[in-house]
Amino acid sequence: GAGVSQSPSNKVTEKGKDVELRCDPISGHTALYWYRQSLGQGLEFLIYFQGNSAPDKSGLPSDRFSAERTGGSVSTLTIQRTQQEDSAVYLCASSTQGANGYTFGSGTRLTVV
Amino acid sequence: GENVEQHPSTLSVQEGDSAVIKCTYSDSASNYFPWYKQELGKRPQLIIDIRSNVGEKKDQRIAVTLNKTAKHFSLHITETQPEDSAVYFCAASGSYQLTFGKGTKLSVIP
């Protein structure tokens, strides 16, 4: 596609429910990243994919967070048993050359009530 | 791992004045330093970047300087306009991942 697509754009969920966030990167971009942006905070790294592999999962805050990528394309970030502190904007980025030339999606705003 | 500090957190300038945002990084192996602009409710967008073999780079009204010895880099915006109002993020990378500063909210007062 022309850009990085994320869905849904907004998600309101009840505490304790599971949510899935989707990222569709730019075609041909082998690197894919998930970041979290809390109100007034910077961009917190969550996970990095190269192809379908995740060589760096070090940013995932707890074992309630997981992510996968299939076909070297679409990625899904899953948060189980959501908590209020999970409320944030979740941003996905993709690139052809690692850290150089990230293109971000518009993000998913997650609100846990 | 890398740690990026960014100052100030907020900055207000009069239209037409200059704005400067400063960042420091911790990992001497970092060699790529981009700046992103995020308007309210929108995605971060790359506005300028610099690599470690260059000390300064300009693109119209924006410029970035890098001091590798001191491990700091700065964004300079001249002749600010209201549409420059946004949150600006600096970042640093030595390999595959960007580490971001916490952002500077720039307000340009008409």
Side-chain angles (χ1 to χ4, degrees):
Chain A
V4 179
S5 298
Q6 290 189 246
S7 61
S9 55
N10 282 283
K11 176 73 176 178
V12 180
T13 190
E14 292 181 351
K15 178 180 172 182
K17 299 282 190 183
D18 298 351
V19 295
E20 285 189 352
L21 313 180
R22 176 188 168 104
C23 172
D24 197 345
I26 293 173
S27 178
H29 280 196
T30 57
L32 186 148
Y33 305 81
W34 284 97
Y35 282 80
R36 180 168 70 175
Q37 185 174 27
S38 302
L39 188 62
Q41 297 296 308
L43 291 91
E44 176 191 4
F45 168 77
L46 298 179
I47 188 168
Y48 156 63
F49 286 94
Q50 180 59 41
N52 291 336
S53 301
D56 189 349
K57 306 179 183 179
S58 62
L60 295 177
S62 73
D63 59 7
R64 296 187 296 105
F65 288 72
S66 63
E68 64 175 14
R69 188 179 186 194
T70 55
S73 180
V74 173
S75 176
T76 303
L77 177 69
T78 302
I79 309 173
Q80 296 178 309
R81 305 181 302 280
T82 51
Q83 304 295 312
Q84 288 187 328
E85 60 263 29
D86 299 334
S87 296
V89 175
Y90 289 82
L91 288 163
C92 174
S94 69
S95 78
T96 56
Q97 301 174 56
N100 301 338
Y102 273 23
T103 299
F104 280 95
S106 295
T108 294
R109 181 176 298 278
L110 175 67
T111 303
V112 182
V113 299
Chain B
E2 177 65 276
N3 182 50
V4 177
E5 300 284 341
Q6 183 172 347
H7 300 279
S9 57
T10 60
L11 179 60
S12 291
V13 299
Q14 292 288 331
E15 182 177 358
D17 286 351
S18 295
V20 180
I21 302 170
K22 299 182 179 182
C23 290
T24 61
Y25 61 99
S26 61
D27 188 349
S28 57
S30 288
N31 57 15
Y32 175 66
F33 308 91
W35 287 85
Y36 284 79
K37 176 183 180 182
Q38 186 177 31
E39 297 177 15
L40 189 62
K42 296 192 176 179
R43 73 189 75 193
Q45 292 197 304
L46 178 68
I47 56 171
I48 195 168
D49 57 13
I50 192 167
R51 299 183 191 280
S52 58
N53 58 345
V54 175
E56 183 176 3
K57 184 177 179 180
K58 290 183 179 179
D59 183 3
Q60 300 182 349
R61 294 187 298 108
I62 60 173
V64 59
T65 59
L66 171 65
N67 183 328
K68 283 216 71 177
T69 303
K71 288 190 282 188
H72 65 71
F73 56 113
S74 301
L75 178 71
H76 304 252
I77 306 173
T78 58
E79 301 173 20
T80 53
Q81 301 169 3
E83 52 264 39
D84 295 330
S85 295
V87 178
Y88 292 80
F89 293 96
C90 63
S93 172
S95 57
Y96 57 84
Q97 177 205 130
L98 288 176
T99 300
F100 289 86
K102 290 192 182 300
T104 297
K105 183 176 180 180
L106 174 63
S107 300
V108 179
I109 304 163

